[in-house]
Amino acid sequence: MQTPTIPKGTRDFSPSEMAKRNYIFDTISAVFRLYGFQQIETPAMENLSTLMGKYGEEGDKLLFKILNSGDFLAGVDAAAWQAASLPASKICEKGLRYDLTVPFARYVVQHRNEITFPFRRFQIQPVWRADRPQKGRYREFFQCDADIIGSDSLLNELELLQIIDEVFSRFKIRVSIKINNRKILSGIAEIIGETEKITDITVAIDKLDKIGLENVNAELSAKGVSREAIEKLQPIIQLSGSNEEKISVLRNVLKSSETGLKGLEEIETVLTKTALNPLAAELELDLTLARGLNYYTGAIFEVKALDVQIGSITGGGRYDNLTGVFGLQGVSGVGISFGADRIFDVLNQLDLYPDASTQQTRVLFVNFGETEENYILPLALKLRKSGVPTEIYPEAAKLKKQFSYADDNHIPFVAIAGESEIAEGKITIKDMQSGEQKMLRAEEIVHLFA
Amino acid sequence: MQTPTIPKGTRDFSPSEMAKRNYIFDTISAVFRLYGFQQIETPAMENLSTLMGKYGEEGDKLLFKILNSGDFLAGVDAAAWQAASLPASKICEKGLRYDLTVPFARYVVQHRNEITFPFRRFQIQPVWRADRPQKGRYREFFQCDADIIGSDSLLNELELLQIIDEVFSRFKIRVSIKINNRKILSGIAEIIGETEKITDITVAIDKLDKIGLENVNAELSAKGVSREAIEKLQPIIQLSGSNEEKISVLRNVLKSSETGLKGLEEIETVLTKTALNPLAAELELDLTLARGLNYYTGAIFEVKALDVQIGSITGGGRYDNLTGVFGLQGVSGVGISFGADRIFDVLNQLDLYPDASTQQTRVLFVNFGETEENYILPLALKLRKSGVPTEIYPEAAKLKKQFSYADDNHIPFVAIAGESEIAEGKITIKDMQSGEQKMLRAEEIVHLFA
């Protein structure tokens, strides 16, 4: 017998993995809802015209394309095929969702007349990428996004920080939240006259701790940043201290850049608001934070776990033009995305999953046969009506087998009704962990678990 | 501007549709869990070798196939292409899940060493079929299945009936549950000597109410059922009365068929058990029920809504050999599948969705600007910490616009803190439905909603 498999980079979720995944998604959704975010879902398949060209050339290659159904060969040119230059678009018009952002942008444009702006939406769905699978990277994985669109207010940035803080507090994961602003980075590039080298600069600065100041400067020089510009960059490379101290240095450096000062003002507003409503997590202004630089136009966020060595577990930022690519201009917004797979790993490593899931079976009734079954059935029904997940072993198997079943499924209590219990109208309850047994009146059983 | 669209037969789910869908799935999952069913999920993509040949020739055509990523043209024969006889398997090795049964069978075989049998699993996921889209039929839709495998006990049939009953009680949908048994149908075919005409026979019998006895007999004759067999079928065609009355007629008709009597005994056991633990729904023995005839080997279930004209809203049955096709013999089981889309329609038509979703925002704080925002923020945070979904309008827009936002989003209360409220440490709460306003001390706000 050849065991069947699943496509590489995909996963089955067993009951225990589902319990963990549900815990993560339920926690995050609950916090999203507390902040008024509304859930939407979009189809797994989008038209390729919606997806193509939105993720760069590399991204286009990573799209999973779906073969047209029916007679997909009709009208295809054999010569083009032979030349191996047949565009996939001839035989494919649909692809699997690559992220949640492009489908969301498409959704907003398509339903713009039904939406009241500002629109707070969240979306938790799988996405698919034909990436080379490796440890921790899958071809099917979940994204978990919240965005507020149609509002420039910095209150939204504050609320996203509060959401991040509340989510990780609930998970009991200690985190540091990094914050930056694209306008500050633009201001720096403007000041030193190296607008197009901003990525090289942030990458080099990020290495300060690892390679030291001299090597950072050498790397900048190697990347073609002028001696004069490197000179001007020194206070920024060596930026340290509290957020206030950093801001005061930056205010001086950026004094001649309008854009830079605007970014600084935005960060200050957000910091002031969080000072009035303090977070549990530390919030650190970090100039090396440059994720999605081409996309974000204002705030940039990133979250790191303090007690586990792992990359960013949440990120986000503000953007100017979500839907421009679909012809609808002027829809700006700010959003965050929780990295579900990494959070899954962090919770595992720190052993932070809550103990017994309330979703699991709490009582297994042992089955001795017909008569006993008829005695048990109304009791089991009563427990279920009271909200206690309950099972009856479906046949009168050997007792050892029935107890193993309880063990394997981590069922904490076994209920036993044999001849003597039935004669007395009672039931014996065994605590599987302590081994303790007690006999009680059948009608009391609900009180024990409810 | 050309509005982007989604592939035909697929759907976006707006926040209000998501709330309804979540209500349906949450209700069904909660009942599944009460009966000890454990959730699993499988990947959207399966290997085509897993899917092909499992749904008949027609089913194979309806599979969505995924183009191999990367250089999918390498090694493909141009002549075969030209002849339009290229098998899709050359350029596709994966397909989208067509139902939940085959992936479940694959899961059981692949993970057989981790599973403790009997295994009670439930699974709620979308499936995809390249069917011609039409009203109520989609290319992406959800299935909602529960199965118990590795047990022949009829207790499982009873529990599935109890689950159906509990789910529709919670939905407040009045239903009739039809039950049949494949062995009874086999017995009938055996008795009248028309084994291969069993489907024609059930189809004809099903028309009795519509076309009358004479026409049913004429149709049977036209289908090639012998005069003698039609004669023997008369008590079965005219079967009526209570379940007990039907069984007593059947016992007489089937007396020389071992299989038929076995089926009858099974139905009786299930009916006796439900008599001891009565259902809210009526349970009717219906011989015309023949769904999935080639698949089911014992009990067959179907649920009809009493107050809406719509097809079956749930179905299921017992099968002998779930995993045989993957080489693992002897895994029998019984399962049900809730028809989520039809239940969605029934709840809509009968207006049975529960009123306000607890998941929706309950309070919107009006925004008058910086000072007021700082006064409001800690109050909003307090409400959220107490579990009350709360929003602050993100900018000091015109009051009319802010109230429209509350209206459009069905937010029941608006909280107002202007100069006078702040001076007194108070907050005004407006009930959006009654128009009633009251001013209270800021710290009292939690008591109002919690």
Side-chain angles (χ1 to χ4, degrees):
Chain A
M1 176 182 135
Q2 208 199 336
T3 297
T5 59
I6 48 178
K8 60 180 177 180
T10 69
R11 288 168 287 179
D12 283 324
F13 287 87
S14 70
S16 64
E17 287 158 340
M18 278 309 294
K20 290 178 174 184
R21 222 188 69 193
N22 285 338
Y23 168 66
I24 293 173
F25 290 157
D26 290 350
T27 302
I28 295 173
S29 318
V31 177
F32 283 162
R33 289 185 198 285
L34 277 182
Y35 282 79
F37 286 77
Q38 304 188 330
Q39 189 175 16
I40 69 162
E41 283 194 9
T42 60
M45 295 187 260
E46 294 275 353
N47 292 320
L48 277 180
S49 56
T50 299
L51 301 175
M52 297 287 283
K54 310 302 189 297
Y55 307 104
E57 223 173 286
E58 203 46 45
D60 281 354
K61 279 188 204 149
L62 299 183
L63 291 173
F64 278 111
K65 301 179 185 76
I66 295 160
L67 204 63
N68 289 346
S69 49
D71 188 7
F72 66 90
L73 293 172
V76 170
D77 180 356
W81 179 264
Q82 193 149 30
S85 65
L86 178 79
S89 63
K90 282 272 186 179
I91 53 172
C92 296
E93 280 155 2
K94 294 179 288 292
L96 292 179
R97 181 170 59 222
Y98 177 90
D99 72 357
L100 302 180
T101 304
V102 168
F104 176 49
R106 192 266 311 144
Y107 179 96
V108 170
V109 177
Q110 192 174 336
H111 301 279
R112 62 192 179 281
N113 297 324
E114 305 145 35
I115 295 172
T116 306
F117 295 94
F119 182 40
R120 308 173 153 233
R121 90 85 171 76
F122 80 90
Q123 191 170 355
I124 301 177
Q125 291 193 273
V127 302
W128 295 270
R129 297 183 185 177
D131 243 323
R132 192 173 299 277
Q134 49 179 255
K135 192 179 166 341
R137 193 205 280 166
Y138 302 99
R139 292 185 146 192
E140 173 180 73
F141 60 98
F142 278 82
Q143 289 192 336
C144 199
D145 289 13
D147 291 80
I148 305 156
I149 59 164
S151 162
D152 294 327
S153 165
L154 294 170
L155 186 59
N156 300 318
E157 273 81 342
L158 170 69
E159 292 202 337
L160 292 178
L161 291 172
Q162 290 182 322
I163 286 174
I164 290 171
D165 196 52
E166 180 66 21
V167 164
F168 289 110
S169 296
R170 291 187 180 200
F171 285 143
K172 300 187 172 49
I173 296 176
R174 297 195 316 127
V175 297
S176 159
I177 308 174
K178 317 277 189 195
I179 182 170
N180 196 5
N181 193 299
R182 167 62 197 263
K183 296 191 184 82
I184 295 178
L185 297 179
S186 300
I188 292 169
E190 189 187 322
I191 295 292
I192 63 172
E194 300 274 11
T195 317
E196 66 300 336
K197 296 223 165 61
I198 187 68
T199 305
D200 291 337
I201 292 169
T202 56
V203 168
I205 297 179
D206 193 29
K207 295 182 182 166
L208 182 67
D209 284 348
K210 264 183 247 148
I211 65 177
L213 181 60
E214 227 162 297
N215 291 317
V216 168
N217 287 337
E219 180 167 325
L220 286 171
S221 185
K223 292 280 180 190
V225 180
S226 73
R227 220 172 57 99
E228 203 192 331
I230 294 175
E231 193 74 25
K232 280 194 188 151
L233 270 176
Q234 291 312 298
I236 285 168
I237 298 174
Q238 295 181 63
L239 201 66
S240 66
S242 68
N243 293 335
E244 291 69 30
E245 287 166 327
K246 290 177 183 172
I247 285 175
S248 127
V249 171
L250 283 169
R251 197 188 321 278
N252 193 38
V253 174
L254 293 171
K255 59 178 177 286
S256 65
S257 162
E258 201 182 319
T259 307
L261 289 175
K262 181 79 177 61
L264 213 51
E265 190 197 313
E266 289 180 8
I267 285 249
E268 277 194 278
T269 304
V270 172
L271 290 175
T272 307
K273 283 185 194 294
T274 43
L276 288 171
N277 301 276
L279 305 176
E282 54 169 298
L283 180 61
E284 191 200 345
L285 169 53
D286 180 354
L287 281 194
T288 67
L289 183 60
R291 51 182 298 142
L293 195 57
N294 296 320
Y295 181 61
Y296 294 130
T297 53
I300 307 175
F301 309 118
E302 193 168 88
V303 181
K304 296 249 177 170
L306 292 177
D307 303 314
V308 176
Q309 283 289 348
I310 201 167
S312 142
I313 54 177
T314 291
R318 178 170 283 280
Y319 42 84
D320 261 354
N321 192 4
L322 176 72
T323 55
V325 73
F326 296 116
L328 183 65
Q329 304 299 330
V331 178
S332 66
V334 56
I336 50 173
S337 182
F338 285 91
D341 286 304
R342 284 189 177 164
I343 292 171
F344 189 93
D345 289 347
V346 170
L347 289 170
N348 261 334
Q349 279 188 54
L350 299 178
D351 197 15
L352 287 176
Y353 284 103
D355 247 11
S357 160
T358 55
Q359 305 182 325
Q360 270 183 340
T361 297
R362 299 205 62 214
V363 194
L364 173 73
F365 281 87
V366 161
N367 193 330
F368 291 117
E370 197 63 19
T371 315
E372 292 82 356
E373 216 177 272
N374 289 337
Y375 179 75
I376 283 164
L377 270 167
L379 298 179
L381 194 59
K382 212 167 162 183
L383 278 175
R384 287 161 174 161
K385 292 271 180 203
S386 318
V388 184
T390 301
E391 287 181 53
I392 304 173
Y393 198 87
E395 43 230 327
K398 283 198 179 130
L399 215 51
K400 187 160 176 267
K401 195 175 175 196
Q402 299 192 42
F403 274 89
S404 297
Y405 177 88
D407 264 339
D408 288 350
N409 286 292
H410 311 288
I411 301 175
F413 296 96
V414 167
I416 303 150
E419 226 173 288
S420 61
E421 279 92 352
I422 295 177
E424 296 182 56
K426 296 203 165 170
I427 187 100
T428 298
I429 303 290
K430 179 173 178 168
D431 181 325
M432 291 294 283
Q433 192 147 33
S434 68
E436 202 189 319
Q437 290 199 17
K438 56 180 158 191
M439 210 198 280
L440 33 97
R441 299 204 55 78
E443 59 277 22
E444 292 171 345
I445 190 168
V446 169
H447 306 298
L448 192 64
F449 298 103
Chain B
M1 176 182 137
Q2 207 198 333
T3 297
T5 58
I6 48 178
K8 61 179 177 181
T10 69
R11 288 168 287 179
D12 283 325
F13 287 87
S14 70
S16 63
E17 287 159 340
M18 278 307 296
K20 290 177 174 183
R21 222 188 70 191
N22 285 340
Y23 168 67
I24 293 173
F25 291 157
D26 290 350
T27 303
I28 296 173
S29 317
V31 177
F32 284 162
R33 288 186 199 284
L34 276 182
Y35 281 80
F37 286 76
Q38 304 188 332
Q39 190 176 15
I40 69 162
E41 283 194 8
T42 60
M45 296 187 259
E46 294 276 352
N47 292 320
L48 277 179
S49 56
T50 299
L51 300 175
M52 296 287 283
K54 310 300 190 299
Y55 307 106
E57 224 173 285
E58 203 47 44
D60 281 354
K61 279 190 205 148
L62 299 183
L63 291 172
F64 278 111
K65 302 181 184 74
I66 295 160
L67 206 62
N68 289 344
S69 48
D71 188 7
F72 67 90
L73 293 172
V76 170
D77 180 355
W81 178 266
Q82 193 149 31
S85 65
L86 178 80
S89 63
K90 283 271 184 179
I91 53 172
C92 295
E93 281 156 1
K94 293 179 288 292
L96 293 179
R97 181 167 61 222
Y98 177 90
D99 72 358
L100 302 180
T101 304
V102 168
F104 175 49
R106 192 267 310 145
Y107 178 96
V108 170
V109 178
Q110 193 174 336
H111 301 279
R112 62 192 178 281
N113 297 324
E114 305 144 35
I115 295 172
T116 306
F117 296 93
F119 183 39
R120 307 173 155 235
R121 90 85 171 76
F122 80 90
Q123 190 170 355
I124 300 177
Q125 290 193 274
V127 302
W128 296 269
R129 297 184 184 177
D131 242 322
R132 191 173 300 276
Q134 47 178 257
K135 191 179 167 344
R137 193 205 278 164
Y138 303 99
R139 291 184 147 193
E140 173 179 74
F141 59 98
F142 278 82
Q143 290 193 336
C144 199
D145 288 14
D147 291 81
I148 305 156
I149 59 164
S151 163
D152 294 327
S153 166
L154 294 170
L155 186 59
N156 299 319
E157 273 82 341
L158 170 69
E159 292 202 339
L160 292 178
L161 291 173
Q162 290 181 324
I163 286 174
I164 291 171
D165 196 52
E166 181 66 22
V167 164
F168 289 109
S169 296
R170 290 186 181 202
F171 285 143
K172 300 187 174 48
I173 296 176
R174 298 195 317 127
V175 297
S176 158
I177 308 175
K178 317 276 187 192
I179 183 171
N180 196 5
N181 192 298
R182 167 62 196 263
K183 296 191 184 82
I184 295 178
L185 296 180
S186 300
I188 292 170
E190 191 187 320
I191 295 291
I192 62 170
E194 299 275 10
T195 317
E196 66 299 337
K197 296 224 164 60
I198 186 67
T199 305
D200 291 336
I201 292 169
T202 56
V203 167
I205 296 179
D206 194 26
K207 294 183 183 165
L208 182 66
D209 284 349
K210 263 182 250 150
I211 63 177
L213 182 60
E214 225 162 298
N215 291 317
V216 168
N217 288 339
E219 181 167 326
L220 286 170
S221 185
K223 292 279 180 189
V225 180
S226 73
R227 219 171 59 97
E228 204 190 332
I230 293 174
E231 194 74 23
K232 280 193 188 155
L233 270 177
Q234 291 313 300
I236 286 167
I237 298 173
Q238 296 181 64
L239 201 65
S240 66
S242 68
N243 292 335
E244 292 69 29
E245 288 166 328
K246 290 178 183 172
I247 286 175
S248 126
V249 171
L250 283 168
R251 197 187 323 277
N252 192 39
V253 174
L254 293 170
K255 59 180 179 283
S256 64
S257 162
E258 202 182 319
T259 308
L261 289 175
K262 181 78 176 60
L264 213 51
E265 189 196 314
E266 288 180 9
I267 285 248
E268 278 194 278
T269 305
V270 173
L271 290 174
T272 307
K273 283 185 194 295
T274 44
L276 288 171
N277 301 276
L279 306 177
E282 54 169 299
L283 180 60
E284 190 200 347
L285 168 54
D286 180 353
L287 282 195
T288 67
L289 183 60
R291 52 183 295 143
L293 196 58
N294 297 321
Y295 181 61
Y296 294 129
T297 53
I300 307 174
F301 309 118
E302 194 169 86
V303 181
K304 296 250 176 167
L306 292 177
D307 303 313
V308 176
Q309 282 290 347
I310 201 167
S312 142
I313 54 178
T314 290
R318 178 169 283 281
Y319 42 85
D320 261 354
N321 192 4
L322 176 71
T323 55
V325 74
F326 296 115
L328 184 64
Q329 303 301 328
V331 178
S332 66
V334 55
I336 50 173
S337 183
F338 285 91
D341 286 303
R342 285 190 178 164
I343 293 171
F344 189 93
D345 289 346
V346 170
L347 290 170
N348 262 334
Q349 279 188 53
L350 299 178
D351 196 16
L352 287 176
Y353 284 104
D355 247 11
S357 161
T358 54
Q359 305 182 326
Q360 270 182 342
T361 297
R362 298 206 61 214
V363 193
L364 173 73
F365 281 86
V366 161
N367 193 330
F368 291 117
E370 197 65 18
T371 316
E372 292 82 357
E373 216 176 274
N374 289 338
Y375 179 75
I376 284 165
L377 270 167
L379 298 178
L381 194 59
K382 212 167 163 185
L383 278 175
R384 287 160 174 161
K385 293 270 181 204
S386 319
V388 184
T390 301
E391 287 180 54
I392 305 174
Y393 197 87
E395 44 230 330
K398 284 200 180 124
L399 215 52
K400 186 160 176 265
K401 195 175 175 194
Q402 300 193 41
F403 274 88
S404 297
Y405 178 87
D407 264 339
D408 288 350
N409 286 291
H410 311 288
I411 301 176
F413 296 96
V414 167
I416 303 151
E419 227 174 285
S420 61
E421 279 92 353
I422 295 177
E424 297 183 54
K426 296 204 164 168
I427 187 101
T428 298
I429 303 290
K430 179 172 179 171
D431 180 326
M432 291 294 282
Q433 192 147 30
S434 68
E436 202 189 318
Q437 290 200 20
K438 56 182 157 190
M439 210 198 277
L440 32 96
R441 299 205 57 78
E443 55 290 9
E444 292 170 345
I445 190 169
V446 168
H447 307 298
L448 192 64
F449 298 104

